[in-house]
Amino acid sequence: MISYKRRSVVVMQILVLFLIFFSIVCVPVDAAEKVKIIFNPEVIISEERMLLDHLAEIDGEGPTVERLRTIDFGPAPSPGKYYTLSQGSIHAVLRQMKIDLEQIEIINLTSTGIIVQRVGVLLEEEKVLSTIYDYISSKLPYYVENVEINLRHFPEIWVPSYDIRLEVRRYTNNRNWGFMSLPMTVFINDKEYTRFTISLDVRIFGTVFVASQPIDRLEIITQDMVEEKYLDITRLNGEPVFELKDVVDKQAKRSFRLDTVLINNYLIEPKLVHRNDQVTIEVWAGAIHVQTFGKALSDGARDQWIWIENLSSGKKIQARVIDIGLVRVELN
């Protein structure tokens, strides 16, 4: 039979084991710590995660207080947005973290929960325009002197208040003016944060040559038939003429009305030699220069190579068109 003294020792041992087990399963707050969690009905945070230390004032001392501060209630709302953290979800997270709610005084937490808002700022239109301007300017043809960019619609995009970087994503359209939808990416700390597309109206300006009088089809253009003008060239279908040398003595493939912008694609070198024309053949062999006559076997513009027939020998040779009725052969 177990003595009374031995029974007391056994009871004490069981009690100690029970207390050790209870301390592992549930971490109570020492009553001496007198911990209080004082919630705010509305909280504004700047961090990406909602820690208890961000949501409430924790009053007390000891290791439990430090542990309470780091309890994570999940990701914060997007910048500029808010989220309602319910009373039930707060209690559930605390229980999950083995916090004995009966040992803590929770203040200002009602059934409606708390509203958590994350600090944010609206993406600045000026910053977006600056990025777009740099991108568009680097893609424009050499003859464009000025560019004007108008946003057709600027989206409302909230971002964290710290520094951001903008980039234009790959744009597959070769025409970087007119009405455009430009894809953009926002980076934060070199990590992609969000993407959006912005609608633009890009207008380009340059000094080009226009017809100062009507020009007929196949007419040879002279200097008095054109003049320079600074114009909006956004809607032009083709590359405009912007240097005098590229228009004078050219032949018009189509007619041009007064003040029409001259387009390179509609100007050609005139034919100086026509098929069956009798031509003068210059033959150069080093310093030796002789002339003879031949017949053109095809049409040719300046600097074009055509076949001709030597009238003296009857031989067919290639010659380069130099001027009206004049071709040249160079022998090495």
Side-chain angles (χ1 to χ4, degrees):
M1 192 170 188
I2 303 174
S3 67
Y4 175 79
K5 184 176 181 180
R6 182 169 179 76
R7 283 202 304 271
S8 299
V9 171
V10 171
V11 170
M12 288 298 295
Q13 288 176 337
I14 293 173
L15 181 60
V16 169
L17 289 173
F18 176 77
L19 289 174
I20 293 173
F21 174 79
F22 184 78
S23 67
I24 295 173
V25 174
C26 182
V27 181
V29 177
D30 190 340
E33 294 183 19
K34 297 180 182 179
V35 177
K36 294 180 182 179
I37 302 177
I38 307 167
F39 283 94
N40 234 325
E42 295 184 6
V43 181
I44 298 177
I45 66 174
S46 59
E47 292 78 8
E48 296 182 357
R49 307 290 299 184
M50 295 186 295
L51 302 184
L52 184 57
D53 195 38
H54 305 148
L55 308 179
E57 180 185 345
I58 303 172
D59 186 15
E61 297 178 353
T64 301
V65 172
E66 296 306 315
R67 184 163 170 262
L68 284 170
R69 294 187 193 282
T70 61
I71 292 179
D72 192 338
F73 287 85
S78 300
K81 306 298 180 181
Y82 68 89
Y83 173 77
T84 300
L85 199 57
S86 69
Q87 182 187 59
S89 61
I90 292 174
H91 285 167
V93 171
L94 291 174
R95 290 192 187 98
Q96 187 179 9
M97 298 304 295
K98 311 301 182 186
I99 301 299
D100 187 354
L101 300 182
E102 293 184 0
Q103 299 296 323
I104 295 177
E105 185 178 359
I106 298 178
I107 301 172
N108 287 348
L109 182 61
T110 65
S111 58
T112 58
I114 63 172
I115 297 174
V116 183
Q117 183 176 6
R118 188 173 172 191
V119 172
V121 294
L122 282 171
L123 188 60
E124 295 178 0
E125 184 173 330
E126 183 179 347
K127 189 176 185 67
V128 174
L129 270 174
S130 176
T131 302
I132 292 173
Y133 183 85
D134 291 343
Y135 174 82
I136 294 293
S137 297
S138 69
K139 302 293 183 181
L140 292 177
Y142 58 90
Y143 53 80
V144 174
E145 297 176 35
N146 286 307
V147 58
E148 179 184 296
I149 300 175
N150 297 301
L151 302 183
R152 301 176 66 189
H153 170 68
F154 189 74
E156 182 180 283
I157 299 176
W158 287 88
V159 293
S161 55
Y162 36 85
D163 291 340
I164 67 169
R165 178 169 59 85
L166 286 172
E167 274 187 15
V168 177
R169 298 202 308 277
R170 185 178 178 184
Y171 183 64
T172 55
N173 195 332
N174 292 328
R175 191 180 178 91
N176 291 283
W177 59 90
F179 293 113
M180 303 169 58
S181 291
L182 206 58
M184 303 194 71
T185 304
V186 178
F187 290 91
I188 297 176
N189 294 331
D190 291 327
K191 292 183 179 179
E192 184 175 314
Y193 175 74
T194 189
R195 295 183 175 189
F196 65 97
T197 300
I198 194 161
S199 297
L200 313 168
D201 180 16
V202 180
R203 303 173 73 82
I204 56 176
F205 300 82
T207 301
V208 296
F209 281 90
V210 302
S212 59
Q213 64 184 61
I215 300 174
D216 295 330
R217 180 176 176 271
L218 301 181
E219 189 171 3
I220 304 299
I221 301 173
T222 57
Q223 185 169 345
D224 62 332
M225 298 167 67
V226 298
E227 63 179 336
E228 282 186 299
K229 282 191 177 181
Y230 179 80
L231 298 173
D232 180 344
I233 55 176
T234 307
R235 307 288 178 244
L236 289 184
N237 186 20
E239 182 178 308
V241 177
F242 68 98
E243 289 191 21
L244 188 61
K245 66 179 181 63
D246 293 327
V247 64
V248 172
D249 294 333
K250 295 295 192 296
Q251 188 174 31
K253 287 177 63 176
R254 44 154 279 192
S255 61
F256 292 96
R257 291 177 296 178
L258 176 67
D259 287 333
T260 302
V261 177
L262 301 176
I263 304 297
N264 276 320
N265 289 345
Y266 298 119
L267 302 176
I268 58 174
E269 291 286 347
K271 302 299 181 183
L272 301 181
V273 173
H274 296 87
R275 184 178 181 182
N276 294 325
D277 281 354
Q278 181 172 310
V279 295
T280 300
I281 305 172
E282 288 185 343
V283 181
W284 289 82
I288 301 174
H289 172 220
V290 297
Q291 285 188 344
T292 186
F293 297 99
K295 182 176 73 172
L297 301 179
S298 62
D299 297 344
R302 190 183 306 277
D303 289 330
Q304 281 188 329
W305 289 83
I306 63 171
W307 285 97
I308 58 172
E309 181 182 346
N310 189 316
L311 295 181
S312 300
S313 65
K315 290 184 178 180
K316 295 178 181 178
I317 58 175
Q318 277 193 315
R320 183 162 58 90
V321 177
I322 302 300
D323 207 337
I324 298 174
L326 177 64
V327 298
R328 179 177 295 168
V329 176
E330 295 182 0
L331 302 177
N332 295 329

